[in-house]
Amino acid sequence: MVETVIFAPIPTAAPAVSAPQPAAGRRYTYDEVLAEFPETNQPCELCDGELIFMASPSFYHQEIALGFYRLLFDWVTPRKLGKAIASPIDMVLSPHQVRQPDVAFIARERLNIVGRVINGPVDLAVEVTSFDTGGRQRDRFDKRDLYEQFGVKEYWMIDPDAKTVEVLFLQAGTYVLHGRFGPGASAPSRLLEGFAVSVDALLSESPL
């Protein structure tokens, strides 16, 4: 007698559900974005109402950003100066302007702006400039102007390509260059007295 063997059917994967796409030409508010799009770790920003999704940053970009975050966190936390946070986190400047700085610091006396997201300008914002031309334009000009307009007190631009760190501080509503620091130098903060970062240590690609 020959036994008939019945194999259980192999389950098939559920069809992929594509994420909703921003409507062309539509100007969103932040509340509309929250209502219509799922939570995501993909970098995205609301630029004058235009919802922009960006490619994930490179490994080296993240090494630099998280290296800076650790240094900042280790400085401000034991001194109870405020809170440091790393991207992705939304900084809501207005209903149509939302950015995700790579690293941010909020002073203790302003922690009331921290909720599910950051509701207002942070005290210190850090951007690691992207290698592509569009990313450099955003960090060096677009974000700089926006952060100045909304009152971010100190803005750090870390440029892995040029091996430099630039620190800008807000004076009478306008950014002033505190310094542009290259290899062999330490970049100091004007806002956080005593906090400084070695450019070489920050931008070195650690061997495995």
Side-chain angles (χ1 to χ4, degrees):
M1 179 178 178
V2 179
E3 269 189 44
T4 303
V5 179
I6 301 175
F7 293 96
I10 299 173
T12 57
V17 179
S18 59
Q21 296 298 309
R26 179 174 169 186
R27 191 167 181 254
Y28 290 88
T29 66
Y30 186 60
D31 286 343
E32 289 171 339
V33 172
L34 291 181
E36 298 178 30
F37 293 86
E39 187 172 307
T40 177
N41 282 331
Q42 182 180 357
C44 59
E45 296 182 329
L46 195 59
C47 304
D48 197 26
E50 181 185 0
L51 185 57
I52 299 174
F53 287 94
M54 293 161 283
S56 297
S58 70
F59 189 96
Y60 184 38
H61 177 286
Q62 290 301 85
E63 266 195 315
I64 295 168
L66 294 177
F68 189 100
Y69 165 74
R70 285 194 300 269
L71 294 170
L72 183 61
F73 178 89
D74 289 347
W75 177 265
V76 302
T77 302
R79 293 169 175 79
K80 302 185 187 305
L81 298 177
K83 290 194 174 184
I85 191 72
S87 188
I89 183 71
D90 291 340
M91 176 175 67
V92 184
L93 300 172
S94 78
H96 295 102
Q97 300 284 9
V98 181
R99 298 295 186 274
Q100 293 184 340
D102 289 321
V103 183
F105 164 74
I106 306 99
R108 179 178 59 192
E109 60 271 18
R110 296 188 62 245
L111 287 176
N112 62 303
I113 70 172
V114 177
R116 179 188 172 276
V117 296
I118 302 170
N119 298 289
V122 298
D123 292 281
L124 185 154
V126 181
E127 298 288 354
V128 180
T129 61
S130 303
F131 293 98
D132 62 285
T133 304
R136 294 177 70 84
Q137 168 72 28
R138 280 194 305 272
D139 295 335
R140 287 203 159 273
F141 301 102
D142 301 346
K143 286 187 177 180
R144 178 193 182 283
D145 292 347
L146 190 74
Y147 292 171
E148 180 181 72
Q149 176 190 345
F150 280 91
V152 175
K153 295 174 185 174
E154 189 164 288
Y155 181 34
W156 290 55
M157 286 184 288
I158 302 171
D159 190 333
D161 229 11
K163 302 293 184 187
T164 59
V165 175
E166 291 181 42
V167 182
L168 306 172
F169 69 94
L170 201 62
Q171 183 172 286
T174 302
Y175 274 142
V176 176
L177 181 66
H178 184 46
R180 186 174 190 264
F181 307 95
S186 285
S189 170
R190 181 179 169 108
L191 180 70
L192 299 170
E193 187 177 354
F195 176 70
V197 174
S198 162
V199 176
D200 290 341
L202 185 66
L203 297 179
S204 65
E205 296 189 60
S206 305
L208 296 177

